[in-house]
Amino acid sequence: MVGNDDLAARMDTSDEWIRTRTGIRTRHFVSAGMPTSLLAAEAGARALQSAGTADVDAVVLATTTPDRPCPATAPEVARRLGLTGRPAFDVSAVCTGFLYALTTAAGMIASGAAEQVLVIGAEAFSTLIDPQDRSSAVVFGDGAGAVVLRAGEPGEPGALGRIVLGSDGSLADLITVRAGGSEQPRPHPDADPADRYFSMRGREVFGHAVTRMTESARAALAHTGWQPDDVDRLVGHQANLRILHAVAEQLDIPVERLVIHLDRVGNTAAASIPLALAHAHETGELTPGARVVLAAFGGGATWGATALTWPALKSA
Ligand code: UT7
């Protein structure tokens, strides 16, 4: 675990700045050489146990930090889980990745291609961050969370509503790693060394995040027919406490109904929503039948939201 004071000891920041500007107190960083697939497999194993099953028909992994640029990381995660032979692939939508992966899994189930899909969000974001970039280094953390999505009846606890998604490629520069892809495969002699690190224009992202998370949550609510007051828990992408409060206020959902987990883990990108769900399940904030709204915004830009009722689970 890495506390705010640990970061303040190695860069120009303070516990007070991080807590008041973001709400974050601690986060986790992987140790050197620990791949995303290991984090993902651990979360996947717990989700399988919680769902009371050892097998699924597919593995979908949302990540921004694959083990390697090629191949995808999900087949390795499936191998680690004893699921070799099952279809397994990655989905890339940065902090909205979990909702995009959930949509893919729901589509596989609706089409009859699968009955049960393991959906994982896993990130080793610390491997992308410039350790001297105080604006990103204090915000992001590493972690993984997972769920098992299975075929069921629309009215049963655990039923997933319509997932509303969107994107705007004109905002790609707001959250980016410039180098290492086909556009800039090898360091150019004139390239800025910072190009190989993650960069985020935080203040601009903040505004888009509030607007898009609010709009998509409203659209997801409209599909279910729920009013804001019907929502028991709002689980937003855990980027910044001030963003979560602003979204809740704009939606007219009391801030007491927000699930807050970022104080412990920071912004874990695609892992953020499934980790927050697991935390809220463990603390008893989520009980079977609870009406839950999920909403996220991330690089791309991408965004999305959905509404669901919480299922009866065996364990966390
Ligand atoms: O996960 C995908 C979606 N991501 C998000 O939604 C993140 C959205 N953005 C944010 O959460 C916030 O913009 C940040 C937490 C990243 C930054 O907070 P901010 O309140 O927007 O700060 P800022 O970037 O506007 O910077 C304000 C001041 C600046 O100083 P000056 O120019 O006013 O003198 C920064 O240099 O705070 C300074 N600053 C810091 N000071 C101490 C920036 N980072 C730090 C730091 N410690 N770590």
Side-chain angles (χ1 to χ4, degrees), residues 12-14 17-18 21-22 95 134-135 138-140 175 200 202-203 205-206 209 237 239-240 242-243 267 269 297-299:
D12 182 16
T13 189
S14 65
W17 191 95
I18 302 169
R21 303 310 295 165
T22 71
C95 299
R134 66 177 181 171
S135 63
V138 304
V139 172
F140 288 90
I175 295 175
M200 177 170 75
R203 204 179 294 191
V205 171
F206 193 110
H237 166 52
N240 187 313
R242 293 182 294 134
I243 292 178
N267 179 346
F297 180 87

Side-chain angles (χ1 to χ4, degrees), residues 159-173:
L160 192 59
R162 176 91 64 89
I163 309 177
V164 178
L165 298 175
S167 78
D168 181 353
S170 73
L171 302 178
D173 282 348

